[in-house]
Amino acid sequence: MADKPYISIDSRLVGSSYPCFIIAEIAQAHDGSLGAAHAYIDAVAATGADAIKFQTHIAAAESSPQEAFRVQTFPQDESRYAYWERMQFSAEQWAGLAQHAREKELIFLSSPFSLAALELLQSLDVPAWKIGSGEVNNLPMLEAIASTGKPVLLSSGLSNWNELDAAVEQVRATDAPLALFQCASSYPCAPQDLGLNVLADMRERYACPVGLSDHSGTVYAGLAAVALGASLIEVHTVFSRDCYGPDVSSSITIEELKQLVEGIRFIETAAHNPVDKDTAAASRSELKIMFGKSLVAARDLLAGQTLALDDIDLRKPAIGIPASRMQAFIGKSVKRALQQGEFLQEDDFE
């Protein structure tokens, strides 16, 4: 398949010529509460984001008692395995979340972390697959995902170039549409670790839409990435910084998500509307007169007097000789008497 500069997610075109695709990543911010998960859908829908994304964890299919905690936040979870069990929703509950998102005109996404989760989400007809950084080397999983033919949105936070090459090759072997995220798997991610330069490297290396999966906990990274041409932004989102959980420090709030969406739309409108300086200046001729300055007599001048530098002041508006031409009139003689403050005109000189 020829490389494409765009993909389609639920009829939404995503690429450099189209609006940035903005994903609010909820992950485990719901803390296992189905009600909280539904509340996040309502909140994200009001921000103008394009999609809401969860994570579908099935403990028995993806984990084992040997899995260590990244951050042991909740004392009731005796193990990471127990935590994943507490985060689980049933197939019916996932179906309800997907339906709710669609009713709110959000694209529903959820990352699978096992073949069982993939099967569950496939039954919900998710329009694309967002693959977390930890699954990039799981080539059997990538093969199964790509074989569905749906777009694959691949994060790269734990990958070197060789590993990413292999993952891309695996996806493209099935002709599945592909987009890549630059990502730093740091929580929160410091600005020096964002790797914004990698966006251009990925775009050149893989000829596909690229974006940023952000863990900085700020709106700045997403805005900077879009200014550099990112076609997708994924950002962790929580109701408030007072929320409790392992991802709060690397998330933005709902209100900040709204600001991010507004900022991205502002930036892309500016970027997609090039300005011709000559045309723009001509359209503001009245303001040039209002703000510009002209030559005026600094004192009363006699007819025939030779104009010296200290005979001239510069004043608004620009209704006489422009200030830029002052030197051309030094040493010339005025034909008529001029009063202090009077604007000089071309026909006042010999």
Side-chain angles (χ1 to χ4, degrees):
M1 179 183 72
D3 294 335
K4 274 186 154 183
Y6 67 91
I7 62 174
S8 178
I9 302 175
D10 198 19
S11 301
R12 192 80 53 88
L13 296 179
V14 179
S16 59
S17 299
Y18 303 98
C20 180
F21 188 73
I22 304 169
I23 304 170
E25 159 74 297
I26 305 305
Q28 276 68 249
H30 52 73
D31 193 30
S33 165
L34 183 62
H38 279 284
Y40 270 112
I41 291 173
D42 288 334
V44 168
T47 68
D50 298 290
I52 188 167
K53 189 184 84 68
F54 295 92
Q55 295 180 7
T56 300
H57 293 280
I58 301 175
E62 74 174 75
S63 184
S64 71
Q66 285 72 43
E67 183 183 4
F69 277 103
R70 175 173 67 84
V71 180
Q72 187 168 4
T73 304
F74 303 101
Q76 72 267 40
D77 300 319
E78 296 181 356
S79 66
R80 181 82 157 160
Y81 187 93
Y83 174 72
W84 293 134
E85 285 188 313
R86 192 164 62 80
M87 292 299 107
Q88 293 179 176
F89 296 133
S90 69
E92 292 76 15
Q93 289 169 333
W94 278 120
L97 289 168
Q99 180 60 30
H100 184 183
R102 290 164 186 147
E103 289 171 356
K104 289 293 184 176
E105 298 184 349
L106 284 171
I107 292 175
F108 174 84
L109 300 173
S110 190
S111 292
F113 289 86
S114 63
L115 292 175
L118 170 63
E119 183 178 352
L120 188 159
L121 293 171
Q122 179 72 337
S123 73
L124 302 181
D125 197 25
V126 293
W129 303 105
K130 173 56 175 56
I131 309 304
S133 296
E135 301 297 322
V136 171
N137 288 329
N138 188 348
L139 297 185
M141 177 85 153
L142 287 182
E143 181 181 12
I145 286 170
S147 68
T148 68
K150 295 176 181 179
V152 177
L153 316 180
L154 192 64
S155 273
S156 62
L158 299 175
S159 305
N160 59 37
W161 284 118
N162 287 337
E163 291 168 329
L164 200 52
D165 286 346
V168 169
E169 183 179 355
Q170 180 69 72
V171 172
R172 284 183 163 163
T174 61
D175 286 354
L178 175 69
L180 291 169
F181 285 95
Q182 162 57 9
C183 176
S185 296
S186 302
Y187 310 90
C189 179
Q192 62 268 26
D193 296 327
L194 283 170
L196 295 179
N197 60 295
V198 181
L199 294 169
D201 295 339
M202 282 183 170
R203 191 180 297 112
E204 181 177 358
R205 190 181 187 99
Y206 301 116
C208 69
V210 300
L212 179 72
S213 181
D214 178 33
H215 302 132
S216 70
T218 74
V219 300
Y220 311 131
L223 295 174
V226 171
L228 292 172
S231 297
L232 309 93
I233 295 293
E234 179 186 52
V235 61
H236 280 258
T237 306
V238 291
F239 284 127
S240 163
R241 298 199 190 283
D242 294 327
C243 289
Y244 192 74
D247 292 326
V248 174
S249 65
S250 53
S251 301
I252 64 174
T253 67
I254 291 293
E255 184 58 35
E256 288 171 331
L257 177 61
K258 184 177 181 181
Q259 294 171 353
L260 177 65
V261 172
E262 291 173 350
I264 287 173
R265 299 309 178 214
F266 183 99
I267 290 169
E268 63 192 8
T269 297
H272 293 154
N273 288 275
V275 170
D276 180 88
K277 287 294 288 181
D278 289 337
T279 301
S283 70
R284 294 170 176 85
S285 57
E286 292 184 3
L287 289 179
K288 290 180 73 173
I289 294 172
M290 182 183 300
F291 296 151
K293 289 185 172 68
S294 296
L295 309 187
V296 301
R299 57 180 59 86
D300 291 344
L301 301 176
L302 300 175
Q305 183 172 337
T306 299
L307 202 65
L309 181 61
D310 58 3
D311 292 325
I312 299 174
D313 272 342
L314 304 175
R315 303 286 168 81
K316 297 176 184 178
I319 57 175
I321 298 171
S324 60
R325 299 184 60 208
M326 182 180 71
Q327 290 297 330
F329 292 88
I330 302 300
K332 288 191 174 184
S333 298
V334 295
K335 295 192 295 185
R336 64 182 181 89
L338 295 163
Q339 294 182 339
Q340 181 182 6
E342 190 172 349
F343 281 82
L344 306 182
Q345 306 295 332
E346 297 257 3
D347 58 8
D348 288 332
F349 294 88
E350 300 289 350

XYZ file of all heavy atoms in Angstrom, residues 67 112 146 176 252 263 282-283 287 326 334:
72
model
N 3.372 -9.019 38.478
C 3.491 -7.665 37.926
C 3.675 -6.659 39.057
O 2.903 -6.625 40.016
C 2.256 -7.282 37.101
C 2.402 -5.913 36.452
C 1.167 -5.467 35.685
O 0.148 -6.186 35.703
O 1.221 -4.374 35.078
N -6.739 -1.718 24.091
C -6.748 -3.098 24.579
C -5.359 -3.483 25.086
O -4.340 -3.099 24.515
C -7.106 -3.898 23.328
C -6.531 -3.080 22.199
C -6.612 -1.644 22.622
N -3.997 -5.116 13.701
C -3.917 -4.605 12.338
C -4.780 -5.413 11.378
O -5.287 -4.880 10.384
C -2.466 -4.601 11.867
N -3.245 -1.848 7.180
C -4.041 -1.048 8.114
C -3.527 0.394 8.111
O -2.318 0.626 8.103
C -3.955 -1.627 9.521
N -4.119 16.967 32.615
C -4.684 18.308 32.681
C -6.139 18.192 33.128
O -6.746 17.127 33.043
C -4.588 19.054 31.332
C -5.421 18.367 30.242
C -3.139 19.198 30.901
C -5.479 19.156 28.937
N -7.103 26.603 22.062
C -5.788 27.028 21.600
C -5.361 26.325 20.328
O -4.790 26.937 19.416
N -1.888 47.006 2.723
C -2.780 47.840 1.912
C -4.185 47.892 2.507
O -4.875 48.916 2.427
C -2.829 47.308 0.487
N -4.611 46.809 3.134
C -5.953 46.763 3.701
C -6.071 47.590 4.979
O -7.179 47.819 5.470
C -6.353 45.313 3.989
O -5.617 44.792 5.072
N -5.414 52.844 9.134
C -4.649 52.753 10.372
C -3.234 53.287 10.201
O -2.667 53.876 11.131
C -4.590 51.302 10.849
C -5.885 50.703 11.406
C -5.674 49.249 11.810
C -6.389 51.518 12.593
N 12.091 62.324 5.762
C 12.561 63.575 6.374
C 13.891 64.069 5.784
O 14.043 65.245 5.451
C 12.710 63.382 7.884
C 13.141 64.640 8.629
S 13.307 64.353 10.405
C 14.782 63.333 10.431
N 11.548 76.617 1.948
C 10.084 76.627 1.926
C 9.605 77.821 1.121
O 10.207 78.904 1.131
C 9.504 76.657 3.353
C 9.852 75.381 4.094
C 9.985 77.868 4.131
